[in-house]
Structures are given as structure tokens and as C-alpha cells.
Amino acid sequence: MKHFKVGLDMNDILYLGYNVLLTVMLAIFRDPVAVIFIQVVTAALSVILVYKISQMIFNRTTAIIASLFYAYSWDITLWSVYILTDSFFISLMLLTIYSLLKFYESNKNVYKIIFIATAVYMLIFRPAGIITVSFIMIYVLINLNKQTIMGFVRKYGLTLGSIVLAGILIAMIVFASNKLDPLVASLQFNAKKVLYNIYATGWLFDRASPFDHKYKPNYTIDIGNSLIISFIYHNWDNIMILYGKRTLALLGRWVFYVDLTHIRGIVKFAWNAFPVFMFLTGLVYTIRNGLSRKASIVWLTILASCVFCVIFFIDGMYRYRAPGLPFVAIVAAYGGDRIIKGAIVITKKYAGKLLWNKQKYSL
């Protein structure tokens, strides 16, 4: 706002979309509290998108359960009261996926335009947006038939090739002129922080814990003068163990505190594991009921947030896991829907059998 200028640091360029939005809101309202209020209202209204997405992919019962899960999710509430990218990013992502599904359902161009606009905005909103949009585009490719793709390539192949080539040439010229040296330096610095402060120490979270993977890292830089490639090459075995532990840590810290030696520990485990059971039930019935292709957008979005967390870092409060939570809630809600309907079928069957036996005994 002060200089009307965008810097060349990683936090300036890769967060351009959020920085501009925040600058505009602060210029209008002059008060950070107003920004938080807008975030809270936007996050609250996004429950409508969760409901609509769930209903389009599954059914109304799933939509109601998923909406309740989203509304009472601590992470959604928590990150809507900080001036950070998370809250607006989650709402933007939900709008992007809703408009994409709505376009496939109605074939109206207005939803296509909204999808393209929001997807492009996600790319520059924060770095996680690049990964998320990439996974969303996999869903788009899944739903394209070969004839459509080949027809598009034949019609626009030369134009797209020219644009890509021009983009590569411009990027080479910009890098050769050293204009983006601050960006490259900041990217290297942040990569070094992640590798040396988290990977090298074996942390699962953003601070030391009893569950970390302790090892002696090899810091030799001898491959292409790249500290990233060299570090991964010389420590790949320990990094793979760390990846496995981080994937498990996405379920929550409770997985490291499982104690089945007494009743209290068993009850606590059952309480924490039940959402996982609902999620797995939703997964199984999604495949069983032939909804895998239709629901693949949900799985891809969850995978995008998990990949970002596991590869780069997992912070203690799971801030970067939060974008996947609405979609985890949708799958778990479908599992809940199947459990409820299964219980109703069993109850009716048992009640009918009981009634039949009672009538038979009376006769």
C-alpha cells in the first residue's frame, strides 16, 4: 500500500493473490478486525458449498452430515480468526470445486467461467494452490474423452505450443537477466530451512516430540551444486521413514498415544478411531457403489493437501492440512450415511423377524 510495489521475495510473488486481497481490504476498512470478520462470515457461508458438493456427489443425508462436520471443525473455526491465507483459501477452493461440478451437471458456461477464474486465482493465492489446482486438473482430464482431447489438440495445438514456447523463452530471458535473483535466493533459503531444520532433525511437527525419527544426516553437497538434491540423495532411506511417520501423523497425535492395556485407553482409542472407521467405510462404499469416478475430485483434493504436508512440512497445529478437511468430512459423512442406513435395514429385518415369531407363537 505504501509503495504500490510488489517485491521479488518468495512471500511476495507466491502469495501475490492473498497479498493483493489483504491490501485491498485493509485499504477499504483500515482495520484488521474487519478483515477477520469478513473471513469468519465467508468461512461460515462456505458450509453451503460443502452441502452442495456433498449432495451432487453423494446424497442429501451425506450433505447434512458433512455440513455438520464442517461447521463444528475446530480447524475451520481456528484459522478463520487469524490474518493468514488459510481461511480464504479453503473457501476459494470449495467455490472452485463447486463451480466445476456444477458445470458438469448443468453445462452452463457461467460455471465454467467461475471455475477458470477461481482456479487461476488459486495458483497465485499461495504455493499450496499450485499443487491443488494440478490435482483438480487431473479430475478434469479424467472426465474428458479421448475424442474431445484429440479434437482440442488438433484445433488449438499450434496455438498452445506457441504460448508454451513463448513462456519458456520469456522465463529464460528473465532468469538470464538476473531479475528474479531475490525470488531464487528466497526459495533456496526456505528449502534449506525445511531440509536442515525439519528433515535433518527428523521432526514430525514444527517442534521436537518423542515420536521424531532421530538419525545422523549427511550434509554433503556434491550433486549439481544443489543442496536439495544432494541432501535427499544421501539421506533418502531416513527421509522415506520420515515420510511414513508423517503420513501416519496426519491422522492426529492420538495415533502415537494408543494404549490398549486398560479400559480407559480402549475407550479413548475407539473415540479417536471412529472418524477413521467412518472415512474408510465411505471409501469402501464409494468404490462398491460405482461412485469412484464421480467422487475422485474429493480424493484428489485430500491427496493434494496431504502431499503438500508430507513433502514440505507438517506443523503442530496442522494448518496446512486444513484445506483437505472439508473433503475428509464429506467422505466420512458418506460412511456415516451408509452406517445409518445399514443399521436401519438390520433393525427393520430384526423387528420383522421378531414380529413374525411373535405372531407364529400366538397362532
Side-chain angles (χ1 to χ4, degrees):
M1 270 197 303
K2 187 176 181 181
H3 302 290
F4 293 98
K5 184 179 178 182
V6 177
L8 294 177
D9 186 85
M10 184 188 84
N11 290 329
D12 294 315
I13 293 178
L14 297 185
Y15 291 86
L16 179 64
Y18 177 70
N19 290 340
V20 170
L21 175 64
L22 183 60
T23 302
V24 170
M25 287 194 296
L26 288 174
I28 294 170
F29 299 105
R30 303 285 179 182
D31 188 355
V33 177
V35 176
I36 293 173
F37 177 76
I38 294 169
Q39 281 188 173
V40 170
V41 172
T42 304
L45 291 174
S46 293
V47 73
I48 299 169
L49 297 174
V50 173
Y51 179 91
K52 292 289 187 181
I53 291 169
S54 306
Q55 191 175 37
M56 280 189 284
I57 296 175
F58 296 111
N59 54 53
R60 187 170 177 268
T61 304
T62 300
I64 293 171
I65 299 172
S67 299
L68 289 171
F69 284 166
Y70 173 86
Y72 288 96
S73 171
W74 170 242
D75 293 79
I76 301 301
T77 303
L78 176 66
W79 298 117
S80 65
V81 294
Y82 284 87
I83 298 186
L84 292 167
T85 61
D86 305 271
S87 185
F88 280 134
F89 181 80
I90 293 169
S91 299
L92 179 64
M93 183 177 59
L94 287 167
L95 179 60
T96 302
I97 292 172
Y98 167 75
S99 59
L100 177 61
L101 293 175
K102 197 67 178 175
F103 168 68
Y104 284 136
E105 184 181 80
S106 65
N107 202 31
K108 292 182 179 178
N109 285 329
V110 62
Y111 293 112
K112 186 203 292 190
I113 294 168
I114 294 172
F115 165 70
I116 294 171
T118 52
V120 170
Y121 190 40
M122 279 179 66
L123 288 172
I124 61 171
F125 200 84
R126 73 177 194 180
I130 299 171
I131 294 177
T132 305
V133 172
S134 299
F135 277 84
I136 291 173
M137 292 312 296
I138 294 173
Y139 178 77
V140 173
L141 290 174
I142 289 172
N143 284 275
L144 284 176
N145 58 55
K146 292 182 179 179
Q147 290 182 349
T148 303
I149 295 173
M150 293 307 296
F152 183 83
V153 170
R154 281 194 295 268
K155 189 174 181 180
Y156 299 106
L158 184 60
T159 303
L160 289 174
S162 301
I163 292 172
V164 171
L165 182 61
I168 293 172
L169 290 173
I170 291 170
M172 290 175 63
I173 293 170
V174 170
F175 275 102
S177 62
N178 300 322
K179 294 290 184 181
L180 295 180
D181 281 356
L183 172 63
V184 174
S186 62
L187 286 170
Q188 289 178 337
F189 177 71
N190 279 276
K192 188 175 181 179
K193 282 202 301 183
V194 171
L195 288 175
Y196 291 178
N197 293 341
I198 298 177
Y199 278 61
T201 56
W203 284 7
L204 299 185
F205 308 101
D206 62 347
R207 60 182 69 88
S209 73
F211 319 108
D212 295 338
H213 173 60
K214 301 296 183 182
Y215 69 100
K216 188 175 181 180
N218 185 337
Y219 293 105
T220 305
I221 303 174
D222 58 357
I223 301 177
N225 200 30
S226 171
L227 66 90
I228 299 173
I229 297 174
S230 300
F231 186 89
I232 293 174
Y233 176 78
H234 291 295
N235 300 281
W236 69 268
D237 50 347
N238 288 294
I239 289 174
M240 292 304 294
I241 295 171
L242 189 58
Y243 278 174
K245 282 194 167 186
R246 287 187 173 187
T247 303
L248 187 63
L250 283 170
L251 294 172
R253 287 177 181 258
W254 64 271
V255 296
F256 299 108
Y257 291 99
V258 174
D259 182 7
L260 303 178
T261 58
H262 53 82
I263 299 298
R264 186 178 178 183
I266 294 171
V267 172
K268 190 174 182 180
F269 170 75
W271 173 260
N272 288 319
F274 186 65
V276 179
F277 172 71
M278 291 177 66
F279 182 86
L280 292 175
T281 302
L283 168 61
V284 170
Y285 274 95
T286 299
I287 297 169
R288 184 177 174 181
N289 294 339
L291 296 170
S292 298
R293 182 167 182 163
K294 190 176 181 181
S296 58
I297 185 65
V298 175
W299 303 110
L300 288 167
T301 311
I302 294 170
L303 187 60
S305 63
C306 290
V307 165
F308 189 84
C309 283
V310 170
I311 292 178
F312 295 102
F313 44 79
I314 299 178
D315 57 329
M317 300 184 81
Y318 294 103
R319 177 183 161 200
Y320 295 94
R321 184 191 63 169
L325 290 181
F327 303 95
V328 170
I330 291 171
V331 179
Y334 185 58
D337 170 69
R338 295 296 93 189
I339 292 170
I340 292 169
K341 289 180 178 175
I344 291 172
V345 170
I346 293 171
T347 302
K348 285 181 177 180
K349 186 176 179 180
Y350 178 76
K353 189 175 180 181
L354 189 65
L355 182 62
W356 168 254
N357 289 336
K358 186 177 179 181
Q359 289 174 347
K360 185 178 179 182
Y361 178 77
S362 299
L363 291 171

